[in-house]
Amino acid sequence: MPNCIFCAIVNDHRQAKILYEDTDYLAFEDLHPQAPAHFLVIPKRHIETILDADKETLGNLIHIGVRVARKMGLDKNGFRTVINCKRHAGQSVDHLHVHVMGGRWFSWPPG
Ligand code: AMP
């Protein structure tokens, strides 16, 4: 998708620190980390929001997030996964992504 920053990363891996890749998915470090560990998992295909994704894609995104989190040692103390959907939730990049954050305490409820 033209003008999509995550599609640009899919097409040019030098634009992010890649943590995981397979034929359909990519995980990379968030540019503005909100925790000591903060990465994103995306489908390579441009899908705008969680509303547009099928069951298999959603399962794979979460599964990859857990695998990478475990590899980073985040399974010891835990981590948070977040999917923002549209404006009220704060989605700023319209290419579906799962946030995985760890390495600190997180409060609840979220603001
Ligand atoms: P959201 O607000 O849920 O749409 O999250 C978008 C996330 O993408 C934010 O946490 C940004 O810091 C992150 N982000 C934006 N541009 C880049 C980029 N070029 N590389 C890595 N992460 C990015």
Side-chain angles (χ1 to χ4, degrees):
M1 176 71 68
N3 302 321
C4 171
I5 49 177
F6 289 175
C7 285
I9 290 171
V10 170
N11 293 325
D12 178 3
H13 288 13
R14 292 169 302 180
Q15 295 188 31
K17 172 129 194 268
I18 307 297
L19 302 173
Y20 173 90
E21 180 179 20
D22 65 27
T23 50
D24 299 317
Y25 301 92
L26 205 57
F28 52 89
E29 287 188 351
D30 195 290
L31 191 60
H32 304 292
Q34 301 301 314
H38 185 177
F39 66 89
L40 306 172
V41 189
I42 67 166
K44 288 184 174 176
R45 186 165 65 89
H46 187 88
I47 298 171
E48 280 198 14
T49 78
I50 192 173
L51 296 166
D52 310 306
D54 60 25
K55 192 160 80 173
E56 187 187 352
T57 302
L58 292 174
N60 286 333
L61 287 169
I62 299 293
H63 192 254
I64 290 164
V66 169
R67 275 174 63 184
V68 175
R70 205 188 291 278
K71 209 169 152 193
M72 294 172 78
L74 299 178
D75 53 321
K76 183 167 181 279
N77 292 318
F79 52 91
R80 179 164 290 181
T81 53
V82 172
I83 304 175
N84 293 320
C85 180
K86 296 194 172 177
R87 296 296 167 253
H88 276 190
Q91 183 174 5
S92 61
V93 178
D94 292 334
H95 183 133
L96 174 61
H97 49 283
V98 176
H99 294 259
V100 180
M101 294 165 283
R104 68 167 171 86
W105 290 87
F106 293 91
S107 59
W108 193 265

